[in-house]
Amino acid sequence: MTQEEKTRIEERIVDVLKTVFDPEIPVNIYDLGLIYKVDVKDDGSVDIDMTFTAPSCPAADFILEDVRQKVETIEGVKETNVNLVFEPVWDKSMMSEEALVELGLD
């Protein structure tokens, strides 16, 4: 897989991640800053490191599965591994400007 193909897939992954929401927060997980890493490998596998706003998120299983399923619909993606991490600890400084405005935190 060329670097150009990887970049195109990464861009599509970001677009897909912007369609995933925590049911309790009206902002997508990407703009919330919950995605720490997206790594597209030469063989088409994808590793995603993500976190939650709180370790005890009641929708965690649903959100993780939603991420995996949506990313695996992208052409060129063979397999998706979603790794739940808690370091660094998430805080609101990781949110996009759009998310801060949407939640009235700007």
Side-chain angles (χ1 to χ4, degrees), residues 9-10 13 17 35-50 67-68 71-72 77-85:
I9 290 171
E10 286 174 12
I13 290 170
L17 292 174
I35 303 298
Y36 288 170
K37 178 184 87 170
V38 174
D39 183 23
V40 179
K41 310 256 194 245
D42 288 334
D43 65 357
S45 63
V46 176
D47 287 329
I48 296 175
D49 287 354
M50 68 172 292
V67 167
R68 188 190 63 73
V71 170
E72 287 184 351
V77 173
K78 305 278 188 247
E79 174 187 30
T80 305
N81 301 304
V82 183
N83 306 302
L84 184 57
V85 298

Side-chain angles (χ1 to χ4, degrees), residues 18 21 25-34 53 90-106:
K18 288 184 175 187
F21 290 81
I25 305 172
V27 175
N28 69 73
I29 64 169
Y30 190 83
D31 286 331
L32 279 173
L34 301 180
T53 57
W90 179 89
D91 66 54
K92 73 177 188 170
S93 71
M94 297 171 172
M95 296 169 62
S96 71
E97 188 63 35
E98 293 83 7
L100 290 168
V101 170
E102 177 71 27
L103 295 175
L105 300 174
D106 60 331

Side-chain angles (χ1 to χ4, degrees), residues 1-32:
M1 181 177 299
T2 67
Q3 186 57 45
E4 184 177 303
E5 290 170 319
K6 285 183 184 180
T7 300
R8 186 172 33 83
I9 290 171
E10 286 174 12
E11 289 169 353
R12 294 193 65 216
I13 290 170
V14 169
D15 289 343
V16 165
L17 292 174
K18 288 184 175 187
T19 70
V20 177
F21 290 81
D22 179 324
E24 297 177 345
I25 305 172
V27 175
N28 69 73
I29 64 169
Y30 190 83
D31 286 331
L32 279 173

